[in-house]
Amino acid sequence: MSELNEKQLAALAVERAKIFTPGWFADLFGARLGFGDTFWLGLFGVMLFVVPAVVLLGGLIYAQAPGGLRPFFRLVAGLYGLWTLGVLQALLRIGVRGGYPVAGLVLTAGIALCGLGTAVML
């Protein structure tokens, strides 16, 4: 791989600054990002912010009202299942070419079913 020049590095910095902004989320669900960005950042990148928040809120709920954990986790699981269905819809609109994208679709569908199933079963 060749070294990037200053202009290319500046362009990458500008692109990276757009990630996780409202416009980026519109592009995510509008299927205007690439398959890899939609899959990796849409499913797992967002969890870099969500998981710490859920752990913090879960700890606060447990400290104040332990009985409130089950409804809280039911809500979180349901919302994540719906989020994953939105990402799956975007992935389907982008289109699939090759084996890895098919595996990504299957994994995304499985995660959505697990999230929604957990919300129902809790």
Side-chain angles (χ1 to χ4, degrees):
M1 185 168 152
S2 64
E3 293 293 320
L4 299 176
N5 62 34
E6 293 298 320
K7 187 176 179 181
Q8 292 168 325
L9 288 173
L12 282 174
V14 168
E15 275 302 307
R16 287 182 180 160
K18 294 177 186 175
I19 295 175
F20 302 129
T21 62
W24 181 84
F25 284 109
D27 289 342
L28 174 74
F29 290 113
R32 291 183 291 272
L33 299 176
F35 193 93
D37 287 342
T38 302
F39 177 77
W40 289 109
L41 292 174
L43 279 181
F44 304 113
V46 173
M47 292 297 106
L48 293 172
F49 303 101
V50 173
V51 169
V54 167
V55 169
L56 179 64
L57 288 172
L60 291 173
I61 290 170
Y62 181 74
Q64 297 299 316
L69 273 180
R70 178 168 285 187
F72 173 70
F73 286 133
R74 174 180 277 175
L75 174 69
V76 169
L79 289 175
Y80 187 58
L82 293 175
W83 175 270
T84 308
L85 284 177
V87 172
L88 179 63
Q89 172 267 130
L91 290 172
L92 289 169
R93 287 177 49 204
I94 291 170
V96 177
R97 291 181 299 275
Y100 285 118
V102 169
L105 285 175
V106 170
L107 181 63
T108 304
I111 291 171
L113 289 173
C114 287
L116 294 172
T118 300
V120 169
M121 291 167 52
L122 269 179

